[in-house]
Amino acid sequence: IVCVMLYMLVVRQKATFSSAKKNIIKNMLSAEIARAKRHEHKTGVLILDIKGTASRGIHYFLPGKTVDVEHVEKSVRKSDKIIQENFRRYYVILSHLAADNSVNIIKERMSKVSVEKNWPDSIIGVATYPSDGETADDLIRCALEDMDRDIKV
């Protein structure tokens, strides 16, 4: 009985932690959208999904763990905010974009870096405010749809 109760507690804590992370991502993206509206510039979101596990050479501490946040941080601009949702999914909030195609340039650069650094198979989805959506939920949904298009290709 104690083992079952501990298991249920761990599962509940994991669900609560995941829900809190998603709320943090949405709140940060909403704040960036509000700032973009106020200053009349574009913003966006990039979602990086790692499909495999990294070799020990990529992450020295835990074999089998995926790409570390520091590896992703080195691949984006200093002004971009990175949130790791779990071991396999990263959200990058892109601020101050020059044009709608800027996210595609960043996506291509991230793809090149993943090949150069021997990251495991990855899928990248992007979305831009205001062309792809007006809210954080819209942008995240659009970026996930972009990831689905990459999978089907």
Side-chain angles (χ1 to χ4, degrees), residues 62-76:
L62 297 172
K65 185 181 178 206
T66 60
V67 178
D68 206 358
V69 174
E70 287 80 19
H71 290 97
V72 179
E73 282 178 346
K74 292 177 185 175
S75 306
V76 296

PDB file of all heavy atoms in Angstrom, residues 62-76:
ATOM      1  N   LEU A  62      25.182  12.493 -17.602  1.00  0.00           N
ATOM      2  CA  LEU A  62      24.201  11.418 -17.627  1.00  0.00           C
ATOM      3  C   LEU A  62      24.164  10.775 -19.002  1.00  0.00           C
ATOM      4  O   LEU A  62      23.668  11.373 -19.947  1.00  0.00           O
ATOM      5  CB  LEU A  62      22.797  11.955 -17.283  1.00  0.00           C
ATOM      6  CG  LEU A  62      22.619  12.552 -15.898  1.00  0.00           C
ATOM      7  CD1 LEU A  62      21.260  13.203 -15.793  1.00  0.00           C
ATOM      8  CD2 LEU A  62      22.768  11.484 -14.839  1.00  0.00           C
ATOM      9  N   PRO A  63      24.683   9.586 -19.155  1.00  0.00           N
ATOM     10  CA  PRO A  63      24.610   8.949 -20.464  1.00  0.00           C
ATOM     11  C   PRO A  63      23.154   8.690 -20.845  1.00  0.00           C
ATOM     12  O   PRO A  63      22.335   8.333 -20.012  1.00  0.00           O
ATOM     13  CB  PRO A  63      25.369   7.637 -20.263  1.00  0.00           C
ATOM     14  CG  PRO A  63      25.389   7.412 -18.803  1.00  0.00           C
ATOM     15  CD  PRO A  63      25.277   8.758 -18.143  1.00  0.00           C
ATOM     16  N   GLY A  64      22.830   8.940 -22.080  1.00  0.00           N
ATOM     17  CA  GLY A  64      21.476   8.709 -22.548  1.00  0.00           C
ATOM     18  C   GLY A  64      20.569   9.913 -22.405  1.00  0.00           C
ATOM     19  O   GLY A  64      19.464   9.910 -22.898  1.00  0.00           O
ATOM     20  N   LYS A  65      21.025  10.973 -21.740  1.00  0.00           N
ATOM     21  CA  LYS A  65      20.227  12.184 -21.644  1.00  0.00           C
ATOM     22  C   LYS A  65      20.320  12.924 -22.971  1.00  0.00           C
ATOM     23  O   LYS A  65      21.305  12.828 -23.684  1.00  0.00           O
ATOM     24  CB  LYS A  65      20.734  13.077 -20.517  1.00  0.00           C
ATOM     25  CG  LYS A  65      19.848  14.286 -20.298  1.00  0.00           C
ATOM     26  CD  LYS A  65      20.370  15.157 -19.197  1.00  0.00           C
ATOM     27  CE  LYS A  65      19.440  16.357 -19.083  1.00  0.00           C
ATOM     28  NZ  LYS A  65      20.089  17.502 -18.528  1.00  0.00           N
ATOM     29  N   THR A  66      19.306  13.693 -23.299  1.00  0.00           N
ATOM     30  CA  THR A  66      19.337  14.420 -24.565  1.00  0.00           C
ATOM     31  C   THR A  66      20.159  15.687 -24.447  1.00  0.00           C
ATOM     32  O   THR A  66      20.779  15.944 -23.423  1.00  0.00           O
ATOM     33  CB  THR A  66      17.904  14.757 -25.018  1.00  0.00           C
ATOM     34  OG1 THR A  66      17.301  15.550 -24.019  1.00  0.00           O
ATOM     35  CG2 THR A  66      17.101  13.518 -25.257  1.00  0.00           C
ATOM     36  N   VAL A  67      20.144  16.492 -25.467  1.00  0.00           N
ATOM     37  CA  VAL A  67      20.937  17.710 -25.544  1.00  0.00           C
ATOM     38  C   VAL A  67      20.635  18.619 -24.359  1.00  0.00           C
ATOM     39  O   VAL A  67      19.479  18.803 -23.986  1.00  0.00           O
ATOM     40  CB  VAL A  67      20.627  18.438 -26.865  1.00  0.00           C
ATOM     41  CG1 VAL A  67      21.390  19.725 -26.963  1.00  0.00           C
ATOM     42  CG2 VAL A  67      20.933  17.526 -28.035  1.00  0.00           C
ATOM     43  N   ASP A  68      21.664  19.201 -23.772  1.00  0.00           N
ATOM     44  CA  ASP A  68      21.507  20.043 -22.598  1.00  0.00           C
ATOM     45  C   ASP A  68      21.116  21.466 -23.002  1.00  0.00           C
ATOM     46  O   ASP A  68      21.365  21.899 -24.125  1.00  0.00           O
ATOM     47  CB  ASP A  68      22.812  20.051 -21.814  1.00  0.00           C
ATOM     48  CG  ASP A  68      22.603  20.325 -20.347  1.00  0.00           C
ATOM     49  OD1 ASP A  68      21.451  20.539 -19.944  1.00  0.00           O
ATOM     50  OD2 ASP A  68      23.592  20.334 -19.608  1.00  0.00           O
ATOM     51  N   VAL A  69      20.513  22.190 -22.086  1.00  0.00           N
ATOM     52  CA  VAL A  69      20.050  23.556 -22.350  1.00  0.00           C
ATOM     53  C   VAL A  69      21.212  24.441 -22.809  1.00  0.00           C
ATOM     54  O   VAL A  69      21.052  25.271 -23.702  1.00  0.00           O
ATOM     55  CB  VAL A  69      19.378  24.161 -21.090  1.00  0.00           C
ATOM     56  CG1 VAL A  69      19.029  25.613 -21.301  1.00  0.00           C
ATOM     57  CG2 VAL A  69      18.141  23.377 -20.730  1.00  0.00           C
ATOM     58  N   GLU A  70      22.377  24.261 -22.237  1.00  0.00           N
ATOM     59  CA  GLU A  70      23.527  25.088 -22.596  1.00  0.00           C
ATOM     60  C   GLU A  70      23.885  24.930 -24.068  1.00  0.00           C
ATOM     61  O   GLU A  70      24.326  25.876 -24.715  1.00  0.00           O
ATOM     62  CB  GLU A  70      24.732  24.750 -21.715  1.00  0.00           C
ATOM     63  CG  GLU A  70      24.616  25.251 -20.298  1.00  0.00           C
ATOM     64  CD  GLU A  70      23.754  24.349 -19.413  1.00  0.00           C
ATOM     65  OE1 GLU A  70      23.541  23.164 -19.765  1.00  0.00           O
ATOM     66  OE2 GLU A  70      23.279  24.834 -18.386  1.00  0.00           O
ATOM     67  N   HIS A  71      23.703  23.734 -24.626  1.00  0.00           N
ATOM     68  CA  HIS A  71      23.977  23.524 -26.040  1.00  0.00           C
ATOM     69  C   HIS A  71      22.999  24.310 -26.905  1.00  0.00           C
ATOM     70  O   HIS A  71      23.375  24.853 -27.941  1.00  0.00           O
ATOM     71  CB  HIS A  71      23.884  22.033 -26.400  1.00  0.00           C
ATOM     72  CG  HIS A  71      24.988  21.223 -25.827  1.00  0.00           C
ATOM     73  ND1 HIS A  71      24.844  20.529 -24.655  1.00  0.00           N
ATOM     74  CD2 HIS A  71      26.246  21.001 -26.262  1.00  0.00           C
ATOM     75  CE1 HIS A  71      25.971  19.907 -24.394  1.00  0.00           C
ATOM     76  NE2 HIS A  71      26.842  20.177 -25.344  1.00  0.00           N
ATOM     77  N   VAL A  72      21.757  24.376 -26.487  1.00  0.00           N
ATOM     78  CA  VAL A  72      20.749  25.133 -27.233  1.00  0.00           C
ATOM     79  C   VAL A  72      21.008  26.629 -27.080  1.00  0.00           C
ATOM     80  O   VAL A  72      20.915  27.390 -28.044  1.00  0.00           O
ATOM     81  CB  VAL A  72      19.322  24.764 -26.767  1.00  0.00           C
ATOM     82  CG1 VAL A  72      18.278  25.561 -27.527  1.00  0.00           C
ATOM     83  CG2 VAL A  72      19.069  23.274 -26.936  1.00  0.00           C
ATOM     84  N   GLU A  73      21.376  27.072 -25.870  1.00  0.00           N
ATOM     85  CA  GLU A  73      21.645  28.488 -25.628  1.00  0.00           C
ATOM     86  C   GLU A  73      22.752  29.023 -26.525  1.00  0.00           C
ATOM     87  O   GLU A  73      22.697  30.163 -26.969  1.00  0.00           O
ATOM     88  CB  GLU A  73      22.031  28.724 -24.163  1.00  0.00           C
ATOM     89  CG  GLU A  73      20.865  28.743 -23.223  1.00  0.00           C
ATOM     90  CD  GLU A  73      21.298  28.936 -21.780  1.00  0.00           C
ATOM     91  OE1 GLU A  73      22.499  28.798 -21.460  1.00  0.00           O
ATOM     92  OE2 GLU A  73      20.425  29.226 -20.957  1.00  0.00           O
ATOM     93  N   LYS A  74      23.749  28.213 -26.793  1.00  0.00           N
ATOM     94  CA  LYS A  74      24.858  28.643 -27.644  1.00  0.00           C
ATOM     95  C   LYS A  74      24.433  28.794 -29.096  1.00  0.00           C
ATOM     96  O   LYS A  74      25.151  29.407 -29.875  1.00  0.00           O
ATOM     97  CB  LYS A  74      26.014  27.640 -27.537  1.00  0.00           C
ATOM     98  CG  LYS A  74      26.682  27.635 -26.185  1.00  0.00           C
ATOM     99  CD  LYS A  74      27.751  26.579 -26.112  1.00  0.00           C
ATOM    100  CE  LYS A  74      28.337  26.509 -24.718  1.00  0.00           C
ATOM    101  NZ  LYS A  74      29.302  25.422 -24.582  1.00  0.00           N
ATOM    102  N   SER A  75      23.287  28.255 -29.456  1.00  0.00           N
ATOM    103  CA  SER A  75      22.846  28.260 -30.847  1.00  0.00           C
ATOM    104  C   SER A  75      21.863  29.368 -31.173  1.00  0.00           C
ATOM    105  O   SER A  75      21.478  29.531 -32.322  1.00  0.00           O
ATOM    106  CB  SER A  75      22.197  26.915 -31.181  1.00  0.00           C
ATOM    107  OG  SER A  75      23.048  25.862 -30.866  1.00  0.00           O
ATOM    108  N   VAL A  76      21.416  30.112 -30.168  1.00  0.00           N
ATOM    109  CA  VAL A  76      20.438  31.178 -30.393  1.00  0.00           C
ATOM    110  C   VAL A  76      21.017  32.510 -29.903  1.00  0.00           C
ATOM    111  O   VAL A  76      22.083  32.550 -29.297  1.00  0.00           O
ATOM    112  CB  VAL A  76      19.090  30.882 -29.698  1.00  0.00           C
ATOM    113  CG1 VAL A  76      18.437  29.652 -30.295  1.00  0.00           C
ATOM    114  CG2 VAL A  76      19.250  30.733 -28.205  1.00  0.00           C
TER     115      VAL A  76
END
